[in-house]
Amino acid sequence: EVRLVESGGGVVQTGGSLRLSCVGSGFPSDEYTIGWFREDAEGVREALSCLSSPDRRTTYGSSVKGRFTVSLDGAKNTVYLQMNNLRPEDSGVYYCTADFDIRICPQGPLGNYPDEYWGQGTQVTVSS
């Protein structure tokens, strides 16, 4: 059974940083993509990043590009999302996802982000 567990959320002031972690287990393959999504207070879900396991290539959404960085520690089965220069509009529930059918991250604003499996989410609140 695939399981994803996020942690690292919290409250931070505008301009601050947080690092989210996502520990994966039960993966049926070494080839997969990992995504991060954010759901705001209105329930709008936004794809933030994608990382492909074979080559570590990454893709970012336009709202976080240049501020967020995703990385993978294969030995720990953990994906990190380093978030810098946080803004109030970054507030929301952050979800880690994994997909074993989508093995290549989208290279533009269109395309499919990994969404086969989801974690339970972690809350991030950025105060102004």
Side-chain angles (χ1 to χ4, degrees):
E1 178 186 2
V2 175
R3 189 167 183 232
L4 302 167
V5 180
E6 304 97 331
S7 62
V11 180
V12 64
Q13 291 186 333
T14 297
S17 298
L18 279 176
R19 189 178 78 160
L20 305 183
S21 300
C22 172
V23 179
S25 61
F27 284 15
S29 169
D30 291 333
E31 294 187 1
Y32 53 88
T33 49
I34 289 284
W36 284 96
F37 285 74
R38 177 175 63 214
E39 185 173 298
D40 65 17
E42 285 72 42
V44 177
R45 193 169 284 177
E46 178 184 4
L48 303 178
S49 70
C50 177
L51 181 148
S52 60
S53 67
D55 56 11
R56 302 294 201 267
R57 292 186 69 177
T58 57
T59 300
Y60 296 94
S62 58
S63 68
V64 303
K65 196 171 185 178
R67 299 188 298 124
F68 290 13
T69 303
V70 62
S71 59
L72 170 64
D73 185 335
K76 296 182 179 179
N77 294 329
T78 301
V79 175
Y80 301 99
L81 184 67
Q82 177 66 43
M83 308 187 295
N84 298 327
N85 192 21
L86 284 163
R87 307 164 180 168
E89 55 265 37
D90 292 319
S91 297
V93 180
Y94 282 67
Y95 295 93
C96 170
T97 64
D99 203 306
F100 300 91
D101 292 326
I102 299 173
R103 301 181 183 182
I104 300 174
C105 292
Q107 292 304 303
L110 300 178
N112 295 322
Y113 277 74
D115 64 358
E116 186 177 5
Y117 296 94
W118 292 72
Q120 85 288 350
T122 185
Q123 176 72 45
V124 172
T125 302
V126 184
S127 61
S128 57

